[in-house]
Amino acid sequence: MTSVKPSRRARVIMLAMTASVMAQAGLAVTLPEPRRDSSYPLERALAERRTVREFGPAALRLADVAQLAWAAQGVIAPSGRRTTPSAGALYPLEVYIVAANVQDLAPGVYRYQPSLHRLAAVAEGDRRSELAEAAWGQRWMEQAPAILVIAAVERRTTAKYGQRGVRYAHMEAGHAAQNALLQARALDLDAGLVGAFTDADVQAALGLPRDARPLYLVPVGKSR
Ligand SMILES: Cc1cc2nc3c(=O)[nH]c(=O)nc-3n(C[C@H](O)[C@H](O)[C@H](O)COP(=O)(O)O)c2cc1C
């Protein structure tokens, strides 16, 4: 029997339908508590950070994913303050996890909920190849067991600051990404950075809402 590969448009429609079903089902994953201390010095993480584009086959632990999400956007005070600063404390960023090879986590796309420190399911299945395609064919991303996606809902900030709020959201994405890079090192993991992609294609590949503009992709794993 011959199998027919669905067109790209058909796949995008199927992905969007799955995303909607999963969101309606309200599936959520409780995360291990993040550690707030370690013997890994910040200076060592700074000195060892480098962009890595080749990852080995080892799976990430759910605790690693929890720690990375927390580093990027975790809540650190009862007031709701987070690991990253935010203009006017308006927190426009959303962190999504594209999980492919993570222990105790089904492959899929998840949105990190900072105040609950948990993941909400957005879409199911391994989306790395669609994401690499959206990133102008950067196939190396497909080796990473997980990819953090930092997106911004810009209106949260532009409602107060007008167009300058867009700049603030971009600055905040830099804070979040750098936190994730340094945290990866302190977990003895490695990370890459991807800014070259088509926003709408990333949204379609991952089932992101239209108002969540992807700003930065951070593939994470253990270097080969
Ligand atoms: C804003 C930004 C966008 C980037 N986009 C990509 C990208 O799309 N693909 C890629 O392979 N590397 C990307 N990089 C990584 C740079 O190529 C890398 O940081 C640079 O070569 C310096 O190497 P280092 O990070 O190891 O110091 C990006 C880095 C930044 C800061």
PDB file of all heavy atoms in Angstrom, residues 154-190:
ATOM      1  N   GLU A 154       2.918  41.222  23.097  1.00  0.00           N
ATOM      2  CA  GLU A 154       3.429  42.596  23.189  1.00  0.00           C
ATOM      3  C   GLU A 154       2.424  43.581  23.755  1.00  0.00           C
ATOM      4  O   GLU A 154       2.802  44.581  24.377  1.00  0.00           O
ATOM      5  CB  GLU A 154       3.921  43.054  21.812  1.00  0.00           C
ATOM      6  CG  GLU A 154       5.191  42.310  21.402  1.00  0.00           C
ATOM      7  CD  GLU A 154       5.570  42.513  19.948  1.00  0.00           C
ATOM      8  OE1 GLU A 154       4.790  43.142  19.202  1.00  0.00           O
ATOM      9  OE2 GLU A 154       6.632  42.006  19.560  1.00  0.00           O
ATOM     10  N   ARG A 155       1.130  43.305  23.555  1.00  0.00           N
ATOM     11  CA  ARG A 155       0.155  44.298  24.014  1.00  0.00           C
ATOM     12  C   ARG A 155       0.166  44.471  25.527  1.00  0.00           C
ATOM     13  O   ARG A 155      -0.245  45.510  26.035  1.00  0.00           O
ATOM     14  CB  ARG A 155      -1.251  43.991  23.496  1.00  0.00           C
ATOM     15  CG  ARG A 155      -1.929  42.833  24.160  1.00  0.00           C
ATOM     16  CD  ARG A 155      -3.333  42.577  23.668  1.00  0.00           C
ATOM     17  NE  ARG A 155      -3.575  41.163  23.529  1.00  0.00           N
ATOM     18  CZ  ARG A 155      -3.597  40.291  24.547  1.00  0.00           C
ATOM     19  NH1 ARG A 155      -3.415  40.694  25.791  1.00  0.00           N
ATOM     20  NH2 ARG A 155      -3.821  39.016  24.328  1.00  0.00           N
ATOM     21  N   ARG A 156       0.647  43.455  26.258  1.00  0.00           N
ATOM     22  CA  ARG A 156       0.734  43.610  27.716  1.00  0.00           C
ATOM     23  C   ARG A 156       1.625  44.802  28.077  1.00  0.00           C
ATOM     24  O   ARG A 156       1.429  45.440  29.103  1.00  0.00           O
ATOM     25  CB  ARG A 156       1.329  42.356  28.361  1.00  0.00           C
ATOM     26  CG  ARG A 156       0.403  41.165  28.317  1.00  0.00           C
ATOM     27  CD  ARG A 156       1.045  39.965  29.004  1.00  0.00           C
ATOM     28  NE  ARG A 156       0.349  38.745  28.676  1.00  0.00           N
ATOM     29  CZ  ARG A 156       0.905  37.537  28.691  1.00  0.00           C
ATOM     30  NH1 ARG A 156       2.174  37.390  29.045  1.00  0.00           N
ATOM     31  NH2 ARG A 156       0.195  36.478  28.371  1.00  0.00           N
ATOM     32  N   THR A 157       2.621  45.070  27.234  1.00  0.00           N
ATOM     33  CA  THR A 157       3.559  46.154  27.503  1.00  0.00           C
ATOM     34  C   THR A 157       3.225  47.404  26.690  1.00  0.00           C
ATOM     35  O   THR A 157       3.345  48.529  27.196  1.00  0.00           O
ATOM     36  CB  THR A 157       5.000  45.663  27.203  1.00  0.00           C
ATOM     37  OG1 THR A 157       5.236  44.486  27.999  1.00  0.00           O
ATOM     38  CG2 THR A 157       6.035  46.697  27.583  1.00  0.00           C
ATOM     39  N   THR A 158       2.784  47.222  25.453  1.00  0.00           N
ATOM     40  CA  THR A 158       2.478  48.410  24.634  1.00  0.00           C
ATOM     41  C   THR A 158       1.241  49.135  25.161  1.00  0.00           C
ATOM     42  O   THR A 158       1.083  50.326  24.937  1.00  0.00           O
ATOM     43  CB  THR A 158       2.256  48.034  23.145  1.00  0.00           C
ATOM     44  OG1 THR A 158       1.223  47.037  23.073  1.00  0.00           O
ATOM     45  CG2 THR A 158       3.521  47.508  22.496  1.00  0.00           C
ATOM     46  N   ALA A 159       0.360  48.433  25.890  1.00  0.00           N
ATOM     47  CA  ALA A 159      -0.828  49.108  26.445  1.00  0.00           C
ATOM     48  C   ALA A 159      -0.399  50.254  27.349  1.00  0.00           C
ATOM     49  O   ALA A 159      -1.081  51.284  27.435  1.00  0.00           O
ATOM     50  CB  ALA A 159      -1.670  48.109  27.236  1.00  0.00           C
ATOM     51  N   LYS A 160       0.753  50.115  28.010  1.00  0.00           N
ATOM     52  CA  LYS A 160       1.240  51.187  28.885  1.00  0.00           C
ATOM     53  C   LYS A 160       2.281  52.071  28.191  1.00  0.00           C
ATOM     54  O   LYS A 160       2.262  53.287  28.365  1.00  0.00           O
ATOM     55  CB  LYS A 160       1.862  50.567  30.149  1.00  0.00           C
ATOM     56  CG  LYS A 160       2.426  51.616  31.102  1.00  0.00           C
ATOM     57  CD  LYS A 160       2.791  51.022  32.448  1.00  0.00           C
ATOM     58  CE  LYS A 160       3.291  52.113  33.391  1.00  0.00           C
ATOM     59  NZ  LYS A 160       3.720  51.559  34.684  1.00  0.00           N
ATOM     60  N   TYR A 161       3.163  51.463  27.413  1.00  0.00           N
ATOM     61  CA  TYR A 161       4.321  52.203  26.903  1.00  0.00           C
ATOM     62  C   TYR A 161       4.249  52.513  25.415  1.00  0.00           C
ATOM     63  O   TYR A 161       5.211  53.020  24.854  1.00  0.00           O
ATOM     64  CB  TYR A 161       5.592  51.405  27.184  1.00  0.00           C
ATOM     65  CG  TYR A 161       5.873  51.238  28.658  1.00  0.00           C
ATOM     66  CD1 TYR A 161       5.810  49.973  29.259  1.00  0.00           C
ATOM     67  CD2 TYR A 161       6.192  52.325  29.461  1.00  0.00           C
ATOM     68  CE1 TYR A 161       6.066  49.820  30.614  1.00  0.00           C
ATOM     69  CE2 TYR A 161       6.447  52.175  30.807  1.00  0.00           C
ATOM     70  CZ  TYR A 161       6.381  50.919  31.384  1.00  0.00           C
ATOM     71  OH  TYR A 161       6.643  50.770  32.717  1.00  0.00           O
ATOM     72  N   GLY A 162       3.139  52.186  24.744  1.00  0.00           N
ATOM     73  CA  GLY A 162       3.041  52.429  23.310  1.00  0.00           C
ATOM     74  C   GLY A 162       4.068  51.592  22.562  1.00  0.00           C
ATOM     75  O   GLY A 162       4.498  50.533  23.035  1.00  0.00           O
ATOM     76  N   GLN A 163       4.521  52.083  21.398  1.00  0.00           N
ATOM     77  CA  GLN A 163       5.444  51.315  20.546  1.00  0.00           C
ATOM     78  C   GLN A 163       6.742  50.950  21.248  1.00  0.00           C
ATOM     79  O   GLN A 163       7.349  49.944  20.950  1.00  0.00           O
ATOM     80  CB  GLN A 163       5.756  52.106  19.268  1.00  0.00           C
ATOM     81  CG  GLN A 163       4.850  51.759  18.117  1.00  0.00           C
ATOM     82  CD  GLN A 163       4.691  50.244  17.922  1.00  0.00           C
ATOM     83  OE1 GLN A 163       3.662  49.661  18.276  1.00  0.00           O
ATOM     84  NE2 GLN A 163       5.703  49.574  17.370  1.00  0.00           N
ATOM     85  N   ARG A 164       7.161  51.771  22.205  1.00  0.00           N
ATOM     86  CA  ARG A 164       8.407  51.457  22.914  1.00  0.00           C
ATOM     87  C   ARG A 164       8.293  50.139  23.693  1.00  0.00           C
ATOM     88  O   ARG A 164       9.289  49.478  23.965  1.00  0.00           O
ATOM     89  CB  ARG A 164       8.775  52.609  23.857  1.00  0.00           C
ATOM     90  CG  ARG A 164      10.202  52.527  24.291  1.00  0.00           C
ATOM     91  CD  ARG A 164      10.826  53.863  24.670  1.00  0.00           C
ATOM     92  NE  ARG A 164      12.237  53.684  24.922  1.00  0.00           N
ATOM     93  CZ  ARG A 164      13.191  53.749  24.006  1.00  0.00           C
ATOM     94  NH1 ARG A 164      12.881  54.033  22.749  1.00  0.00           N
ATOM     95  NH2 ARG A 164      14.455  53.539  24.311  1.00  0.00           N
ATOM     96  N   GLY A 165       7.074  49.778  23.996  1.00  0.00           N
ATOM     97  CA  GLY A 165       6.848  48.514  24.695  1.00  0.00           C
ATOM     98  C   GLY A 165       7.333  47.312  23.892  1.00  0.00           C
ATOM     99  O   GLY A 165       7.700  46.287  24.467  1.00  0.00           O
ATOM    100  N   VAL A 166       7.331  47.437  22.564  1.00  0.00           N
ATOM    101  CA  VAL A 166       7.830  46.341  21.721  1.00  0.00           C
ATOM    102  C   VAL A 166       9.315  46.147  22.004  1.00  0.00           C
ATOM    103  O   VAL A 166       9.804  45.033  22.188  1.00  0.00           O
ATOM    104  CB  VAL A 166       7.581  46.643  20.225  1.00  0.00           C
ATOM    105  CG1 VAL A 166       8.249  45.596  19.345  1.00  0.00           C
ATOM    106  CG2 VAL A 166       6.090  46.733  19.943  1.00  0.00           C
ATOM    107  N   ARG A 167      10.041  47.298  22.084  1.00  0.00           N
ATOM    108  CA  ARG A 167      11.472  47.205  22.385  1.00  0.00           C
ATOM    109  C   ARG A 167      11.694  46.568  23.761  1.00  0.00           C
ATOM    110  O   ARG A 167      12.587  45.756  23.941  1.00  0.00           O
ATOM    111  CB  ARG A 167      12.104  48.597  22.350  1.00  0.00           C
ATOM    112  CG  ARG A 167      13.604  48.549  22.591  1.00  0.00           C
ATOM    113  CD  ARG A 167      14.228  49.910  22.742  1.00  0.00           C
ATOM    114  NE  ARG A 167      14.105  50.707  21.534  1.00  0.00           N
ATOM    115  CZ  ARG A 167      14.997  51.647  21.187  1.00  0.00           C
ATOM    116  NH1 ARG A 167      16.049  51.873  21.939  1.00  0.00           N
ATOM    117  NH2 ARG A 167      14.814  52.360  20.101  1.00  0.00           N
ATOM    118  N   TYR A 168      10.868  46.968  24.722  1.00  0.00           N
ATOM    119  CA  TYR A 168      11.032  46.416  26.066  1.00  0.00           C
ATOM    120  C   TYR A 168      10.850  44.898  26.050  1.00  0.00           C
ATOM    121  O   TYR A 168      11.592  44.156  26.700  1.00  0.00           O
ATOM    122  CB  TYR A 168      10.026  47.044  27.040  1.00  0.00           C
ATOM    123  CG  TYR A 168      10.263  48.505  27.319  1.00  0.00           C
ATOM    124  CD1 TYR A 168       9.249  49.298  27.873  1.00  0.00           C
ATOM    125  CD2 TYR A 168      11.484  49.111  27.063  1.00  0.00           C
ATOM    126  CE1 TYR A 168       9.452  50.645  28.140  1.00  0.00           C
ATOM    127  CE2 TYR A 168      11.697  50.452  27.323  1.00  0.00           C
ATOM    128  CZ  TYR A 168      10.679  51.227  27.859  1.00  0.00           C
ATOM    129  OH  TYR A 168      10.879  52.541  28.117  1.00  0.00           O
ATOM    130  N   ALA A 169       9.858  44.428  25.302  1.00  0.00           N
ATOM    131  CA  ALA A 169       9.615  42.965  25.237  1.00  0.00           C
ATOM    132  C   ALA A 169      10.828  42.254  24.645  1.00  0.00           C
ATOM    133  O   ALA A 169      11.219  41.176  25.109  1.00  0.00           O
ATOM    134  CB  ALA A 169       8.363  42.686  24.416  1.00  0.00           C
ATOM    135  N   HIS A 170      11.433  42.883  23.622  1.00  0.00           N
ATOM    136  CA  HIS A 170      12.617  42.257  23.009  1.00  0.00           C
ATOM    137  C   HIS A 170      13.783  42.231  23.997  1.00  0.00           C
ATOM    138  O   HIS A 170      14.524  41.242  24.081  1.00  0.00           O
ATOM    139  CB  HIS A 170      13.027  43.018  21.746  1.00  0.00           C
ATOM    140  CG  HIS A 170      12.000  42.938  20.662  1.00  0.00           C
ATOM    141  ND1 HIS A 170      12.138  43.538  19.436  1.00  0.00           N
ATOM    142  CD2 HIS A 170      10.787  42.319  20.624  1.00  0.00           C
ATOM    143  CE1 HIS A 170      11.079  43.290  18.694  1.00  0.00           C
ATOM    144  NE2 HIS A 170      10.249  42.554  19.393  1.00  0.00           N
ATOM    145  N   MET A 171      13.941  43.325  24.743  1.00  0.00           N
ATOM    146  CA  MET A 171      15.009  43.345  25.766  1.00  0.00           C
ATOM    147  C   MET A 171      14.782  42.229  26.782  1.00  0.00           C
ATOM    148  O   MET A 171      15.711  41.532  27.203  1.00  0.00           O
ATOM    149  CB  MET A 171      15.013  44.690  26.493  1.00  0.00           C
ATOM    150  CG  MET A 171      15.476  45.851  25.654  1.00  0.00           C
ATOM    151  SD  MET A 171      15.178  47.380  26.569  1.00  0.00           S
ATOM    152  CE  MET A 171      16.045  48.565  25.532  1.00  0.00           C
ATOM    153  N   GLU A 172      13.543  42.060  27.167  1.00  0.00           N
ATOM    154  CA  GLU A 172      13.217  41.038  28.179  1.00  0.00           C
ATOM    155  C   GLU A 172      13.498  39.631  27.656  1.00  0.00           C
ATOM    156  O   GLU A 172      13.924  38.742  28.406  1.00  0.00           O
ATOM    157  CB  GLU A 172      11.759  41.198  28.632  1.00  0.00           C
ATOM    158  CG  GLU A 172      11.578  42.473  29.446  1.00  0.00           C
ATOM    159  CD  GLU A 172      10.160  42.686  29.942  1.00  0.00           C
ATOM    160  OE1 GLU A 172       9.480  41.705  30.268  1.00  0.00           O
ATOM    161  OE2 GLU A 172       9.735  43.860  30.010  1.00  0.00           O
ATOM    162  N   ALA A 173      13.275  39.419  26.373  1.00  0.00           N
ATOM    163  CA  ALA A 173      13.576  38.100  25.786  1.00  0.00           C
ATOM    164  C   ALA A 173      15.064  37.804  25.910  1.00  0.00           C
ATOM    165  O   ALA A 173      15.465  36.657  26.151  1.00  0.00           O
ATOM    166  CB  ALA A 173      13.136  38.051  24.333  1.00  0.00           C
ATOM    167  N   GLY A 174      15.897  38.839  25.761  1.00  0.00           N
ATOM    168  CA  GLY A 174      17.344  38.660  25.936  1.00  0.00           C
ATOM    169  C   GLY A 174      17.673  38.248  27.361  1.00  0.00           C
ATOM    170  O   GLY A 174      18.496  37.344  27.579  1.00  0.00           O
ATOM    171  N   HIS A 175      17.026  38.899  28.332  1.00  0.00           N
ATOM    172  CA  HIS A 175      17.245  38.501  29.734  1.00  0.00           C
ATOM    173  C   HIS A 175      16.879  37.027  29.937  1.00  0.00           C
ATOM    174  O   HIS A 175      17.624  36.261  30.549  1.00  0.00           O
ATOM    175  CB  HIS A 175      16.357  39.332  30.673  1.00  0.00           C
ATOM    176  CG  HIS A 175      16.784  40.756  30.837  1.00  0.00           C
ATOM    177  ND1 HIS A 175      17.982  41.118  31.394  1.00  0.00           N
ATOM    178  CD2 HIS A 175      16.147  41.921  30.557  1.00  0.00           C
ATOM    179  CE1 HIS A 175      18.082  42.437  31.439  1.00  0.00           C
ATOM    180  NE2 HIS A 175      16.976  42.947  30.918  1.00  0.00           N
ATOM    181  N   ALA A 176      15.709  36.652  29.453  1.00  0.00           N
ATOM    182  CA  ALA A 176      15.210  35.281  29.672  1.00  0.00           C
ATOM    183  C   ALA A 176      16.116  34.264  28.996  1.00  0.00           C
ATOM    184  O   ALA A 176      16.442  33.214  29.577  1.00  0.00           O
ATOM    185  CB  ALA A 176      13.775  35.160  29.159  1.00  0.00           C
ATOM    186  N   ALA A 177      16.533  34.561  27.766  1.00  0.00           N
ATOM    187  CA  ALA A 177      17.381  33.620  27.036  1.00  0.00           C
ATOM    188  C   ALA A 177      18.730  33.461  27.735  1.00  0.00           C
ATOM    189  O   ALA A 177      19.230  32.332  27.885  1.00  0.00           O
ATOM    190  CB  ALA A 177      17.580  34.092  25.595  1.00  0.00           C
ATOM    191  N   GLN A 178      19.315  34.574  28.171  1.00  0.00           N
ATOM    192  CA  GLN A 178      20.623  34.468  28.837  1.00  0.00           C
ATOM    193  C   GLN A 178      20.505  33.667  30.135  1.00  0.00           C
ATOM    194  O   GLN A 178      21.372  32.848  30.450  1.00  0.00           O
ATOM    195  CB  GLN A 178      21.195  35.870  29.116  1.00  0.00           C
ATOM    196  CG  GLN A 178      22.592  35.869  29.700  1.00  0.00           C
ATOM    197  CD  GLN A 178      23.680  35.529  28.672  1.00  0.00           C
ATOM    198  OE1 GLN A 178      23.404  35.420  27.479  1.00  0.00           O
ATOM    199  NE2 GLN A 178      24.903  35.343  29.126  1.00  0.00           N
ATOM    200  N   ASN A 179      19.429  33.907  30.878  1.00  0.00           N
ATOM    201  CA  ASN A 179      19.215  33.092  32.087  1.00  0.00           C
ATOM    202  C   ASN A 179      19.189  31.609  31.737  1.00  0.00           C
ATOM    203  O   ASN A 179      19.783  30.774  32.426  1.00  0.00           O
ATOM    204  CB  ASN A 179      17.881  33.452  32.746  1.00  0.00           C
ATOM    205  CG  ASN A 179      17.964  34.710  33.593  1.00  0.00           C
ATOM    206  OD1 ASN A 179      18.972  35.404  33.591  1.00  0.00           O
ATOM    207  ND2 ASN A 179      16.894  34.998  34.314  1.00  0.00           N
ATOM    208  N   ALA A 180      18.470  31.270  30.672  1.00  0.00           N
ATOM    209  CA  ALA A 180      18.355  29.853  30.281  1.00  0.00           C
ATOM    210  C   ALA A 180      19.717  29.291  29.863  1.00  0.00           C
ATOM    211  O   ALA A 180      20.063  28.153  30.199  1.00  0.00           O
ATOM    212  CB  ALA A 180      17.337  29.695  29.153  1.00  0.00           C
ATOM    213  N   LEU A 181      20.494  30.090  29.128  1.00  0.00           N
ATOM    214  CA  LEU A 181      21.814  29.615  28.686  1.00  0.00           C
ATOM    215  C   LEU A 181      22.717  29.325  29.883  1.00  0.00           C
ATOM    216  O   LEU A 181      23.404  28.305  29.921  1.00  0.00           O
ATOM    217  CB  LEU A 181      22.498  30.679  27.816  1.00  0.00           C
ATOM    218  CG  LEU A 181      21.842  31.038  26.485  1.00  0.00           C
ATOM    219  CD1 LEU A 181      22.673  32.107  25.770  1.00  0.00           C
ATOM    220  CD2 LEU A 181      21.710  29.815  25.606  1.00  0.00           C
ATOM    221  N   LEU A 182      22.730  30.236  30.850  1.00  0.00           N
ATOM    222  CA  LEU A 182      23.600  30.055  32.016  1.00  0.00           C
ATOM    223  C   LEU A 182      23.093  28.915  32.896  1.00  0.00           C
ATOM    224  O   LEU A 182      23.879  28.137  33.433  1.00  0.00           O
ATOM    225  CB  LEU A 182      23.708  31.366  32.811  1.00  0.00           C
ATOM    226  CG  LEU A 182      24.382  32.509  32.033  1.00  0.00           C
ATOM    227  CD1 LEU A 182      24.352  33.798  32.847  1.00  0.00           C
ATOM    228  CD2 LEU A 182      25.817  32.164  31.639  1.00  0.00           C
ATOM    229  N   GLN A 183      21.769  28.805  32.994  1.00  0.00           N
ATOM    230  CA  GLN A 183      21.206  27.698  33.777  1.00  0.00           C
ATOM    231  C   GLN A 183      21.546  26.362  33.122  1.00  0.00           C
ATOM    232  O   GLN A 183      21.884  25.398  33.809  1.00  0.00           O
ATOM    233  CB  GLN A 183      19.685  27.850  33.893  1.00  0.00           C
ATOM    234  CG  GLN A 183      19.026  26.735  34.673  1.00  0.00           C
ATOM    235  CD  GLN A 183      19.383  26.738  36.144  1.00  0.00           C
ATOM    236  OE1 GLN A 183      18.849  27.496  36.921  1.00  0.00           O
ATOM    237  NE2 GLN A 183      20.323  25.870  36.538  1.00  0.00           N
ATOM    238  N   ALA A 184      21.475  26.313  31.803  1.00  0.00           N
ATOM    239  CA  ALA A 184      21.826  25.070  31.100  1.00  0.00           C
ATOM    240  C   ALA A 184      23.247  24.653  31.468  1.00  0.00           C
ATOM    241  O   ALA A 184      23.511  23.496  31.804  1.00  0.00           O
ATOM    242  CB  ALA A 184      21.688  25.255  29.591  1.00  0.00           C
ATOM    243  N   ARG A 185      24.160  25.594  31.429  1.00  0.00           N
ATOM    244  CA  ARG A 185      25.564  25.281  31.773  1.00  0.00           C
ATOM    245  C   ARG A 185      25.662  24.756  33.208  1.00  0.00           C
ATOM    246  O   ARG A 185      26.365  23.786  33.489  1.00  0.00           O
ATOM    247  CB  ARG A 185      26.356  26.577  31.615  1.00  0.00           C
ATOM    248  CG  ARG A 185      27.710  26.594  31.093  1.00  0.00           C
ATOM    249  CD  ARG A 185      28.238  25.751  29.977  1.00  0.00           C
ATOM    250  NE  ARG A 185      27.941  24.362  29.755  1.00  0.00           N
ATOM    251  CZ  ARG A 185      28.595  23.298  30.249  1.00  0.00           C
ATOM    252  NH1 ARG A 185      29.591  23.462  31.087  1.00  0.00           N
ATOM    253  NH2 ARG A 185      28.267  22.082  29.914  1.00  0.00           N
ATOM    254  N   ALA A 186      24.947  25.413  34.118  1.00  0.00           N
ATOM    255  CA  ALA A 186      25.015  25.010  35.528  1.00  0.00           C
ATOM    256  C   ALA A 186      24.371  23.644  35.759  1.00  0.00           C
ATOM    257  O   ALA A 186      24.574  23.037  36.804  1.00  0.00           O
ATOM    258  CB  ALA A 186      24.351  26.073  36.403  1.00  0.00           C
ATOM    259  N   LEU A 187      23.597  23.169  34.793  1.00  0.00           N
ATOM    260  CA  LEU A 187      23.037  21.810  34.851  1.00  0.00           C
ATOM    261  C   LEU A 187      23.921  20.836  34.077  1.00  0.00           C
ATOM    262  O   LEU A 187      23.532  19.683  33.852  1.00  0.00           O
ATOM    263  CB  LEU A 187      21.624  21.791  34.247  1.00  0.00           C
ATOM    264  CG  LEU A 187      20.526  22.548  35.022  1.00  0.00           C
ATOM    265  CD1 LEU A 187      19.280  22.722  34.146  1.00  0.00           C
ATOM    266  CD2 LEU A 187      20.178  21.808  36.309  1.00  0.00           C
ATOM    267  N   ASP A 188      25.077  21.327  33.627  1.00  0.00           N
ATOM    268  CA  ASP A 188      25.973  20.558  32.771  1.00  0.00           C
ATOM    269  C   ASP A 188      25.297  20.181  31.446  1.00  0.00           C
ATOM    270  O   ASP A 188      25.499  19.099  30.906  1.00  0.00           O
ATOM    271  CB  ASP A 188      26.499  19.304  33.487  1.00  0.00           C
ATOM    272  CG  ASP A 188      27.781  18.798  32.837  1.00  0.00           C
ATOM    273  OD1 ASP A 188      28.471  19.621  32.195  1.00  0.00           O
ATOM    274  OD2 ASP A 188      28.069  17.595  32.932  1.00  0.00           O
ATOM    275  N   LEU A 189      24.487  21.114  30.965  1.00  0.00           N
ATOM    276  CA  LEU A 189      23.852  20.958  29.660  1.00  0.00           C
ATOM    277  C   LEU A 189      24.379  22.066  28.742  1.00  0.00           C
ATOM    278  O   LEU A 189      25.084  22.969  29.181  1.00  0.00           O
ATOM    279  CB  LEU A 189      22.325  21.081  29.792  1.00  0.00           C
ATOM    280  CG  LEU A 189      21.653  19.971  30.593  1.00  0.00           C
ATOM    281  CD1 LEU A 189      20.186  20.308  30.833  1.00  0.00           C
ATOM    282  CD2 LEU A 189      21.788  18.627  29.866  1.00  0.00           C
ATOM    283  N   ASP A 190      23.989  21.986  27.487  1.00  0.00           N
ATOM    284  CA  ASP A 190      24.447  22.960  26.495  1.00  0.00           C
ATOM    285  C   ASP A 190      23.241  23.481  25.723  1.00  0.00           C
ATOM    286  O   ASP A 190      22.188  22.857  25.700  1.00  0.00           O
ATOM    287  CB  ASP A 190      25.437  22.286  25.540  1.00  0.00           C
ATOM    288  CG  ASP A 190      26.622  21.729  26.305  1.00  0.00           C
ATOM    289  OD1 ASP A 190      27.472  22.530  26.723  1.00  0.00           O
ATOM    290  OD2 ASP A 190      26.669  20.497  26.530  1.00  0.00           O
TER     291      ASP A 190
END
